[in-house]
């Protein structure tokens, strides 16, 4: 699947071969990791996009809410479980620090973004390149830096690889939502409402931008492929 496809939760789980019950899923089936994110107003975590869509800053996850337990937003995000094993925060943090120390290549992470209830976007693959702890005014949280990569065969290897050479970009959430509303959730060419994709009218390679809705449209899989084949 290409970056920016519209996808259902069911299809996400089928694609990854597992039930995605958590927002952070380290090395699913021993391969790439998967994270679920949201930049919507009122989202539970402070995820953000920087550098014109090239960098994702992803916030770690809280302790699970439990009856009679503390408010998860009032305690530090955990690195270890009570058993001493690493949490998902801890696993991602260890992988990022291993890369920074030069001990391994950056982990490969696939990102899915929730746009609205029932509407997800496959944001493609990223390299996990940094992590740190930060005080948010109430408690310590984990933050992870991920760099978008192009979906080329070489860069999707599960083996350790050098840091990204040709960075990709993601379309900001507010642009996706504006395009979805403007185009009515349908392909602008044929009106199809399934297998949709956020398409750049003028590609990056020709100077196009992902920062303005005017350069993004909804296309079905058939018309997206037809357009790609015609770009010289």
């Amino acid at each position: 699947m290409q970056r920016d496809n519209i996808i259902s939760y069911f299809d996400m789980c089928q694609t990854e071969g597992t039930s995605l019950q958590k927002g952070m899923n380290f090395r699913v089936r021993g391969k790439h990791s998967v994270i679920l994110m949201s930049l919507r107003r009122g989202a539970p975590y402070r995820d953000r996009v920087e550098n014109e869509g090239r960098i994702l800053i992803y916030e770690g996850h809280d302790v699970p809410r439990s009856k009679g337990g503390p408010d998860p937003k009032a305690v530090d995000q955990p690195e270890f479980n009570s058993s001493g094993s690493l949490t998902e925060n801890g696993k991602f943090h260890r992988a990022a620090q291993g890369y920074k120390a030069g001990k391994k290549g950056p982990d490969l992470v696939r990102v899915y973004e929730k746009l609205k209830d029932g509407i997800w976007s496959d944001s493609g693959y990223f390299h996990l390149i940094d992590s740190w702890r930060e005080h948010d005014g109430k408690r310590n949280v984990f933050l992870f830096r991920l760099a978008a990569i192009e979906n080329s065969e070489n860069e999707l290897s599960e083996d350790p690889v050098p840091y990204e050479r040709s960075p990709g970009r993601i379309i900001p959430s507010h642009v996706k939502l504006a395009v979805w509303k403007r185009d009515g959730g349908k392909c602008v060419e044929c009106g199809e409402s399934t297998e949709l994709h956020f398409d750049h009218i003028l590609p990056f390679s020709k100077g196009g931008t992902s920062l303005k809705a005017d350069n993004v449209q909804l296309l079905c899989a058939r018309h997206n492929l037809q357009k790609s084949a015609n770009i010289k």
Side-chain angles (χ1 to χ4, degrees):
M1 302 181 90
Q2 296 180 1
R3 172 174 279 121
D4 298 319
N5 281 343
I6 305 298
I7 188 170
S8 69
Y9 175 77
F10 176 77
D11 287 338
M12 284 164 42
C13 294
Q14 277 205 319
T15 297
E16 300 303 337
T18 188
S19 178
L20 299 171
Q21 298 292 332
K22 303 177 295 183
M24 300 176 72
N25 306 269
F26 187 71
R27 294 184 184 174
V28 175
R29 294 180 296 161
K31 298 183 178 180
H32 64 265
S33 298
V34 174
I35 60 176
L36 311 182
M37 63 169 283
S38 176
L39 300 177
R40 301 182 303 164
R41 181 177 299 177
Y45 298 101
R46 300 177 304 145
D47 305 331
R48 65 183 188 268
V49 174
E50 298 179 344
N51 196 15
E52 298 185 344
R54 295 180 178 89
I55 296 293
L56 168 64
I57 305 298
Y58 186 78
E59 183 179 327
H61 282 202
D62 302 333
V63 296
R65 186 178 294 278
S66 60
K67 186 176 181 179
D71 177 3
K73 295 296 184 185
V75 297
D76 292 347
Q77 290 182 343
E79 183 175 2
F80 297 96
N81 295 304
S82 57
S83 64
S85 62
L86 290 169
T87 63
E88 296 301 287
N89 293 327
K91 294 173 185 177
F92 277 77
H93 182 54
R94 178 170 291 184
Q97 294 304 306
Y99 165 69
K100 284 188 67 179
K103 297 178 180 179
K104 57 182 288 298
D107 267 47
L108 193 63
V109 182
R110 193 169 192 173
V111 176
Y112 296 100
E113 179 185 359
K114 187 174 185 179
L115 299 177
K116 300 174 67 174
D117 290 343
I119 302 176
W120 291 78
S121 174
D122 179 358
S123 293
Y125 287 92
F126 291 69
H127 280 155
L128 175 62
I129 59 173
D130 198 3
S131 63
W132 64 96
R133 292 181 179 89
E134 183 175 288
H135 198 273
D136 68 358
K138 295 182 179 179
R139 44 65 180 278
N140 292 311
V141 300
F142 281 95
L143 292 175
F144 301 93
R145 186 184 305 275
L146 299 107
I149 64 173
E150 296 293 347
N151 293 6
S152 72
E153 291 299 320
N154 291 337
E155 289 165 338
L156 295 190
S157 169
E158 303 291 356
D159 298 325
V161 292
Y163 174 52
E164 172 58 30
R165 295 164 301 284
S166 54
R169 307 181 200 181
I170 60 176
I171 302 171
S173 300
H174 70 275
V175 172
K176 290 179 180 177
L177 290 170
V179 170
W180 182 269
K181 181 178 180 180
R182 183 198 66 207
D183 295 349
K186 298 178 181 179
C187 174
V188 298
E189 296 291 342
C190 66
E192 177 61 59
S193 59
T194 61
E195 296 187 346
L196 296 175
H197 180 84
F198 287 104
D199 168 72
H200 290 86
I201 297 171
L202 183 65
F204 288 136
S205 60
K206 296 183 179 295
T209 178
S210 62
L211 304 182
K212 296 181 179 180
D214 290 348
N215 192 49
V216 181
Q217 62 185 350
L218 285 176
L219 290 181
C220 66
R222 178 168 65 89
H223 283 104
N224 185 52
L225 288 173
Q226 285 180 358
K227 179 189 173 188
S228 297
N230 291 329
I231 293 175
K232 301 299 183 181

